[in-house]
Amino acid sequence: LLQNQVRREIAYALRSLPWISVPTVALFFAEVRGYSKLYDNIEDSPYGWPGVVLSMLSFLFFTDMGIYWIHRALHHKLLYKRFHKPHHLWKIATPFASHAFHPVDGFMQSLPYHVYPFLFPLHKVTYLGLYIFVNVWTISIHDGDYRVPRLLRHVVNGSAHHTDHHLYFDYNYGQYFTLWDKIGGSYKSPSAFEGKGPLDCLRGLGKK
């Protein structure tokens, strides 16, 4: 970890979040004031309860795709240094780095969450629940807990995958799944799963 890293991550997030919130609140107002396809009651769903469940799954896959391409674009040399590099100061991130973004970076990566209800029907309470979930997920992939059920290791994009993204830069851009990294040729099996992760290096140093 960098010197005073946690304090620096918290300070950066606190400076950025108010600026990220301004356009986010504007979009929320547009969504709840009837400009989106959000609805209040289950009977308003075109497919009832199955439609609610289906919308949760499609929300995750749609936003995962959107974030993948936005995140990858932010690594382009014309955008990286100005907007995304501040987040990559943290090579071994902590949960406090999860929202330590440049405001433009943070808002751009949140756009798929706001675009979805303008395109597809979604229950308002489901939307709020999903929004809480994605923020918790963002924290979890920065928390250094590399445990993933063995059968899902190459399907779910967890903390081990995202740690390698911070360490090796050009891999594992996805948010929840590894699908788009595999399609886009940017998937890397996490070094932590191969016994070569940061914790393994620390254990090796301890033995020496």
Side-chain angles (χ1 to χ4, degrees):
L1 298 179
L2 300 176
Q3 187 175 13
N4 300 320
Q5 178 172 323
V6 170
R7 187 170 67 184
R8 291 167 63 187
E9 289 170 340
I10 293 171
Y12 200 98
L14 289 175
R15 287 196 303 269
S16 296
L17 284 172
W19 295 104
I20 297 171
S21 298
V22 172
T24 299
V25 169
L27 283 170
F28 266 129
F29 270 116
E31 289 161 357
V32 300
R33 292 280 177 93
Y35 296 99
S36 69
K37 296 188 178 184
L38 290 176
Y39 56 88
D40 294 296
N41 304 304
I42 298 299
E43 53 267 26
D44 296 328
S45 168
Y47 306 104
W49 279 104
V52 174
V53 175
L54 180 63
S55 69
M56 293 169 66
L57 296 174
S58 65
F59 178 91
L60 293 178
F61 280 97
F62 176 87
T63 56
D64 188 58
M65 175 189 69
I67 291 169
Y68 173 84
W69 288 110
I70 291 169
H71 189 181
R72 190 158 184 172
L74 285 163
H75 276 254
H76 190 278
K77 62 183 180 180
L78 295 178
L79 299 175
Y80 176 77
K81 187 174 181 180
R82 181 70 183 88
F83 299 119
H84 195 54
K85 187 176 181 179
H87 186 65
H88 274 267
L89 290 175
W90 334 113
K91 296 300 180 186
I92 306 295
T94 79
F96 298 101
S98 61
H99 291 75
F101 288 97
H102 185 285
V104 173
D105 184 357
F107 179 68
M108 289 297 293
Q109 293 203 59
S110 74
L111 266 178
Y113 306 135
H114 303 298
V115 169
Y116 182 92
F118 285 103
L119 299 177
F120 307 103
L122 185 62
H123 192 280
K124 286 182 178 178
V125 176
T126 303
Y127 184 38
L128 290 175
L130 286 166
Y131 204 76
I132 293 169
F133 169 79
V134 298
N135 277 279
V136 171
W137 186 269
T138 301
I139 294 168
S140 77
I141 62 174
H142 292 87
D143 69 3
D145 186 342
Y146 303 147
R147 292 173 296 179
V148 177
R150 186 171 293 275
L151 289 176
L152 298 178
R153 282 186 170 185
H154 300 291
V155 177
V156 173
N157 181 75
S159 183
H161 301 76
H162 198 68
T163 294
D164 274 13
H165 173 72
H166 276 255
L167 288 171
Y168 302 111
F169 186 79
D170 288 327
Y171 303 99
N172 301 345
Y173 297 100
Q175 182 77 348
Y176 322 109
F177 309 111
T178 59
L179 174 64
W180 282 97
D181 279 299
K182 290 177 177 176
I183 292 172
S186 54
Y187 176 72
K188 179 183 182 301
S189 179
S191 54
F193 294 166
E194 300 168 0
K196 301 174 183 177
L199 296 180
D200 301 295
C201 293
L202 288 174
R203 291 190 194 101
L205 290 172
K207 290 177 181 178
K208 291 180 180 179

